[in-house]
């Protein structure tokens, strides 16, 4: 079994869906995860806002637009005006939820999930019917029946153990060997629809790959693969052929929008390679992410923006800062500060943390514990894995570099935002 994932951008037009068909080619044992078409999820968020604000007309006009957008794709795929009863039924349900729900503020997330889930229900229905039409028999899987999440709406984590028997049974029950399932959605223990957080379809695909013990997972994207840096920040970014899971997690968390950060763990646990491949050209190899420790071939540059550098010094000049570490990190945890770099000397400790709205409270609490605290905002943390002397020269010096930590292969620099 292989798992393929197609994001919203790759199925935003009829040509995109035809291309998906081409990529599936003659695969014989394949689970396909599909996101909502194009910007559908954003539009559904507006349908939800209409419900939230008691503005039925607003919800209905968004739904109308979604209906004609999807209808145009269907007509193009069928090469004639076509009515798909299952699609019509989904729109009817959606309209009903948007206009007849007895909305209460406490249930905001529940209705958000119920509404935005229609994006994936629609896209997979259209893809599945189209594939059937062109001769690829497939089973449409309702992921709300097989992916169980925690009881939490809007960014639920999947309960893999609980989902396992359900998904496996659904796959075994289907006579077809091509499965089409929605990314991004699942169900809570109480049976209501949940979503896994925006861009969560990658995570869905990884969960499916984990449960079915897939030989590989491929994400088909509008890029050639994973780049070694964000091209918007580093113009000379190049494609990486092979990446370790851990580097991929670092890249994902650093905001390099390659894959959803939650995607890696379920794959790593089963040692399943993840291919990031260009949907425009099936022959190109893309990037493979896996557990083999390949030596870094090209340096990877990861820039974490919006950092704050806190420098702590004990007010009584005690030189045994170690004793105070547990107190300091206890506070970091209490105020949910994410520490990205630690640098210490005998008398002071510097912490580079993500900027959040709890920083002021944390600084206050540290001062109450007897520390002098200096806070520098507008900082960035640049990590270069596998640096070269040139990159070291270029980035690790200069007056805006506040802290520089080097190991044999990695240099980390805290610098003023540039
Ligand atoms: N359709 C959802 C979103 O746009 C999930 C995804 O695309 O992965 O966030
Ligand atoms: Mg999307």
């Amino acid at each position: 079994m292989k798992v393929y994932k197609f994001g919203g951008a790759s199925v935003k037009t009829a040509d995109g869906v035809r291309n998906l068909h081409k990529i599936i080619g003659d695969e014989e044992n394949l689970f396909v995860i599909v996101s909502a078409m194009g910007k559908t999820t954003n539009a559904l968020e507006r349908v939800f806002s209409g419900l939230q604000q008691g503005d039925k007309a607003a919800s209905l006009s968004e739904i109308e637009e979604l209906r004609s957008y999807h209808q145009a794709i269907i007509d193009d795929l069928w090469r004639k005006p076509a009515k798909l009863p299952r699609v019509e039924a989904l729109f009817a349900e959606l309209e009903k939820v948007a206009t007849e729900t007895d909305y209460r503020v406490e249930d905001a997330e529940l209705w958000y999930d119920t509404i935005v889930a229609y994006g994936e229900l629609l896209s997979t229905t259209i893809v599945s019917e189209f594939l059937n039409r062109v001769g690829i028999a497939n089973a449409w899987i309702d992921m709300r029946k097989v992916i169980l999440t925690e009881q939490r709406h809007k960014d639920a984590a999947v309960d893999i153990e609980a989902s396992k028997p359900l998904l496996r049974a659904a796959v075994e029950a289907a006579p077809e060997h091509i499965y089409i399932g929605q990314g991004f959605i699942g169900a809570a223990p109480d049976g209501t629809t949940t979503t896994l957080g925006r861009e969560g379809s990658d995570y869905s695909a990884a969960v499916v790959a984990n449960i079915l013990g897939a030989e590989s997972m491929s994400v088909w994207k509008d890029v050639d693969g994973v780049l070694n840096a964000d091209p918007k920040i580093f113009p000379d970014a190049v494609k990486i052929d092979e990446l370790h899971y851990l580097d991929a997690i670092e890249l994902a968390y650093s905001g390099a929008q390659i894959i959803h950060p939650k995607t890696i763990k379920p794959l790593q646990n089963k040692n399943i390679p993840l291919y990031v491949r260009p949907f425009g050209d099936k022959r190109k190899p893309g990037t493979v992410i896996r557990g083999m420790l390949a030596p870094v071939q090209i340096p990877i540059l990861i820039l974490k923006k919006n950092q704050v550098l806190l420098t702590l010094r004990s007010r009584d000049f005690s030189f045994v800062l170690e004793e105070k570490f547990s107190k300091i990190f206890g506070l970091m945890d209490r105020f949910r500060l994410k520490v990205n770099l630690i640098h210490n000397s005998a008398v002071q400790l510097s912490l580079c943390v993500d900027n959040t709205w709890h920083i002021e409270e944390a600084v206050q609490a540290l001062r109450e514990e007897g520390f002098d605290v200096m806070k520098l905002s507008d900082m960035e943390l640049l990590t270069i894995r596998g640096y070269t002397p040139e990159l070291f020269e270029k980035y690790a010096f200069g007056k805006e570099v506040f802290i520089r930590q080097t190991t044999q292969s990695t240099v980390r620099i805290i610098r003023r935002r540039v």
Side-chain angles (χ1 to χ4, degrees):
M1 175 79 76
K2 290 182 191 163
V3 174
Y4 280 4
K5 182 258 172 175
F6 293 88
S10 52
V11 290
K12 67 173 190 242
T13 58
D15 278 341
V17 178
R18 283 188 280 263
N19 189 49
L20 173 151
H21 170 212
K22 209 161 81 192
I23 288 174
I24 290 180
D26 46 15
E27 289 293 341
E28 276 169 358
N29 203 9
L30 185 68
F31 205 111
V32 184
I33 290 287
V34 187
S35 302
M37 293 173 158
K39 301 264 178 250
T40 297
T41 307
N42 295 351
L44 288 166
E45 285 186 339
R46 294 192 296 270
V47 172
F48 167 71
S49 302
L51 172 65
Q52 203 175 20
Q53 281 146 26
D55 188 348
K56 281 186 195 175
S59 294
L60 286 173
S61 90
E62 290 290 346
I63 294 175
E64 234 11 81
E65 265 185 51
L66 282 173
R67 202 195 292 269
S68 46
Y69 167 61
H70 286 84
Q71 191 58 50
I73 293 178
I74 295 168
D75 292 347
D76 189 333
L77 289 171
W78 265 249
R79 310 253 185 230
K80 60 174 189 215
K83 289 264 166 262
L84 302 187
R86 287 171 62 211
V87 169
E88 312 269 309
L90 287 169
F91 273 111
E93 278 174 35
L94 170 61
E95 224 173 80
K96 199 159 170 271
V97 179
T99 55
E100 291 176 25
T101 293
D102 188 8
Y103 180 78
R104 295 182 316 167
V105 186
E106 340 41 304
D107 299 329
E109 283 78 14
L110 162 68
W111 296 118
Y112 172 94
D113 281 356
T114 309
I115 288 174
V116 298
Y118 280 92
E120 273 70 12
L121 292 168
L122 286 163
S123 66
T124 51
T125 301
I126 295 170
V127 166
S128 168
E129 295 221 2
F130 174 68
L131 291 176
N132 273 325
R133 183 177 156 82
V134 294
I136 298 191
N138 66 90
W140 183 83
I141 306 283
D142 186 341
M143 300 300 267
R144 296 170 300 181
K145 301 225 161 72
V146 296
I147 296 296
L148 275 193
T149 68
E150 61 185 323
Q151 186 65 50
R152 175 190 168 87
H153 289 284
K154 223 169 167 211
D155 64 346
V158 176
D159 182 340
I160 291 192
E161 281 314 306
S163 307
K164 200 177 276 178
L166 302 172
L167 179 63
R168 286 187 180 162
V171 162
E172 275 157 30
E176 302 86 0
H177 294 115
I178 306 279
Y179 311 88
I180 310 289
Q182 309 81 43
F184 182 55
I185 69 173
D190 71 357
T192 56
T193 301
T194 49
T195 63
L196 313 183
R198 289 301 308 264
E199 306 306 321
S201 295
D202 295 337
Y203 175 39
S204 300
V207 165
V208 169
N210 174 297
I211 291 177
L212 300 179
E215 65 188 77
S216 68
M217 165 174 158
S218 300
V219 173
W220 299 89
K221 286 181 80 83
D222 55 355
V223 289
D224 273 349
V226 179
L227 304 182
N228 73 329
D230 182 345
K232 289 199 275 302
I233 306 170
F234 303 99
D236 41 10
V238 290
K239 185 182 81 80
I240 305 169
D241 297 333
E242 190 168 338
L243 199 60
H244 191 271
Y245 290 125
L246 297 177
D247 289 321
I249 292 179
E250 295 260 17
L251 276 169
Y253 274 103
S254 72
Q257 295 183 330
I258 35 160
I259 31 160
H260 193 281
K262 284 186 187 165
T263 311
I264 301 297
K265 200 70 197 137
L267 298 176
Q268 188 179 12
N269 287 351
K270 289 273 180 87
N271 227 341
I272 299 167
L274 167 61
Y275 295 88
V276 177
R277 300 175 67 181
F279 66 70
D281 191 346
K282 204 183 166 175
R283 289 161 311 180
K284 286 194 180 158
T287 297
V288 57
I289 299 167
R290 58 178 154 206
M292 255 166 37
L293 209 61
V296 188
Q297 319 134 312
I298 9 180
I300 297 171
L301 286 79
I302 302 161
L303 185 66
K304 258 190 192 295
K305 297 186 170 191
N306 205 9
Q307 301 294 298
V308 175
L309 182 62
L310 299 176
T311 300
L312 282 57
R313 196 182 278 243
S314 188
R315 213 168 284 142
D316 57 12
F317 281 99
S318 88
F319 285 83
V320 273
L321 207 53
E322 287 87 345
E323 279 174 14
K324 304 196 159 97
F325 274 22
S326 71
K327 195 168 278 168
I328 293 167
F329 283 95
L331 286 173
M332 293 295 123
D333 187 42
R334 194 168 110 211
F335 292 104
R336 293 168 177 259
L337 294 190
K338 204 173 154 292
V339 180
N340 296 314
L341 179 139
I342 301 167
H343 193 81
N344 72 309
S345 74
V347 289
Q348 69 179 36
L349 175 71
S350 296
L351 300 170
C352 179
V353 299
D354 284 347
N355 193 6
T356 69
W357 57 75
H358 293 300
I359 290 217
E360 281 314 322
E361 296 162 66
V363 167
Q364 191 53 39
L366 287 163
R367 290 192 173 130
E368 280 161 20
E369 289 289 348
F371 296 103
D372 281 330
V373 183
M374 191 173 81
K375 174 174 160 252
L376 289 171
S377 305
D378 280 337
M379 306 301 275
E380 296 179 335
L381 171 60
L382 174 66
T383 302
I384 310 176
R385 296 164 90 91
Y387 64 87
T388 59
E390 297 76 56
L391 286 171
F392 192 83
E393 188 73 25
K394 184 164 173 192
Y395 292 110
F397 288 104
K399 56 181 182 316
E400 72 285 354
V401 172
F402 283 69
I403 292 179
R404 182 178 64 224
Q405 281 184 348
T406 59
T407 65
Q408 219 171 15
S409 61
T410 303
V411 54
R412 309 183 77 204
I413 298 145
I414 297 181
R415 65 182 195 190
R416 174 98 55 206
R417 185 182 55 179
V418 288

